[in-house]
Amino acid sequence: MPASASAKRYASAAFSVASEAGDYDGWLTALSDFARLLQMPSARTIFISPAIPTAQKHAALDRLFPTAPPLVRNFLHILADRARLDEVPGIAEALRALINQRRGIITAEVTTAITLDAEMGRLVAQRLAAYLHTDPQLVTIVSRVDPAIIGGVVARVGDRVIDDSVRERLARLRRSLSGSAR
């Protein structure tokens, strides 16, 4: 699910502070850990409910994340004060995108008809890197499965779509044959 506009604004602020502190990984780890925690219904109840006093949320955050960088804990406290802790998954996602952009890492959404194993994922990353004229180490694959594409790969990198699926090849053949039948 894409991050909301407010999650992107908070992520931008977090990115600025993480840049100044030189601690991208600490911020990303802590926010991702909290986002995973929010997947638990009991944690969601505590952190999202307006019936739970903010001071108790602060105390719970401090107990659950004692090793998180102090600036991250302060950031989470601010989100608790503003009843925005439910935005943390989107904030973590948007922050990861900003950090990857700064590091030159390209994220490709890859759709295949079957689940990619590690070797196929590495091969797809290499081929995409060659197509994008970049180092394969800087290509991260987010894999999705859609049996409707029949076979092949559909890759989305930013606003660019590379469709090398069997479904698209058949559609091109169909268009070609219908064009020459006239």
Side-chain angles (χ1 to χ4, degrees):
M1 183 172 101
S4 69
S6 64
K8 288 178 182 178
R9 283 192 301 274
Y10 281 114
S12 179
F15 179 76
S16 295
V17 174
S19 292
E20 288 176 23
D23 188 18
Y24 293 133
D25 295 328
W27 275 80
L28 197 52
T29 299
L31 292 178
S32 296
D33 288 348
F34 186 73
R36 274 192 297 282
L37 180 72
L38 283 181
Q39 292 176 349
M40 297 171 47
S42 58
R44 278 195 77 72
T45 300
I46 292 168
F47 289 111
I48 307 305
S49 172
I52 306 293
T54 304
Q56 286 182 353
K57 293 177 185 180
H58 287 198
L61 286 166
D62 293 340
R63 277 194 311 275
L64 290 170
F65 298 100
T67 60
L71 290 172
V72 176
R73 282 200 317 271
N74 290 344
F75 181 73
L76 289 171
H77 287 188
I78 290 168
L79 292 174
D81 294 341
R82 297 179 179 176
R84 295 288 192 173
L85 287 172
D86 61 331
E87 295 269 6
V88 171
I91 294 168
E93 177 186 327
L95 179 61
R96 180 180 313 282
L98 290 169
I99 292 170
N100 283 349
Q101 183 179 11
R102 170 66 55 91
R103 291 177 172 168
I105 296 172
I106 297 168
T107 301
E109 268 185 40
V110 173
T111 304
T112 55
I114 59 172
T115 304
L116 291 178
D117 61 18
E119 179 61 26
M120 283 303 296
R122 188 182 62 73
L123 182 62
V124 168
Q126 285 179 337
R127 297 254 170 96
L128 276 172
Y131 179 81
L132 299 169
H133 308 293
T134 191
D135 181 357
Q137 300 297 321
L138 297 177
V139 177
T140 300
I141 301 288
V142 175
S143 184
R144 303 203 192 302
V145 175
D146 180 4
I149 70 167
I150 304 170
V153 174
V154 177
R156 179 181 300 276
V157 180
D159 59 353
R160 187 181 327 178
V161 176
I162 305 153
D163 192 341
D164 193 32
S165 65
V166 172
R167 178 180 61 192
E168 178 59 23
R169 290 180 199 169
L170 289 171
R172 282 193 303 253
L173 179 62
R174 187 178 309 115
R175 286 189 301 268
S176 170
L177 291 174
S178 68
S180 63
R182 293 179 188 179

